[in-house]
Amino acid sequence: MPRLALAFLALSAVAALSPGAARADECDGLAQQIAAATGGKVGKRSGPSIDLRIPGSNRFDVTCRAQPIVQGSSSEARPSAAYFRDLSVAAELVVGESAGSVQGIIAKAYETALREGRKSFIQQNGWSASCYTDSAGSIRTLCSIGRIPPG
């Protein structure tokens, strides 16, 4: 019995020293929630990022570091309404704001990036949205939403 107790204590100590494992589990759970909410599937993990297979031609991923960030890319010069809708639904799970509120901010960031030809960044209630558009590359639109880390 003492060996079992020592083994349990040793495993508990290793788990306590491994906050990355807990963060990975939280990120996996968040990716699963986003996939379920958007009708997609969780793809492969690469470091702190997890690919999401969303219906259609848009690509999404969630990256978990200090705060999670959801990112959507589109090869279209003018992404479809589904792109903004799915990204807003995903962002609601990441930042805790309603999808409707987030969608308005993403649309504003996108239109500003398109009009000014540079990355647009908008901060709102402890979270941010940014969009980038490119007329020459394979990724024509890239938008991301996440909480602003404290400090």
Side-chain angles (χ1 to χ4, degrees), residues 13-109:
V14 169
L17 294 175
S18 178
R23 204 172 306 144
D25 289 344
E26 289 174 16
C27 196
D28 290 333
L30 180 58
Q32 290 171 354
Q33 288 177 346
I34 292 170
T38 57
K41 294 184 180 186
V42 176
K44 68 177 187 169
R45 174 186 274 279
S46 178
S49 296
I50 301 171
D51 290 331
L52 301 168
R53 289 180 254 144
I54 307 297
S57 63
N58 301 314
R59 295 179 16 173
F60 286 60
D61 69 69
V62 61
T63 300
C64 298
R65 290 196 174 103
Q67 296 288 330
I69 297 169
V70 65
Q71 179 171 277
S73 62
S74 174
S75 59
E76 300 170 355
R78 288 246 177 217
S80 66
Y83 170 84
F84 291 105
R85 182 186 62 245
D86 289 343
L87 188 55
S88 297
V89 167
E92 179 175 6
L93 294 165
V94 171
V95 299
E97 292 282 332
S98 74
S101 296
V102 173
Q103 190 166 357
I105 299 300
I106 295 169
K108 184 176 179 182

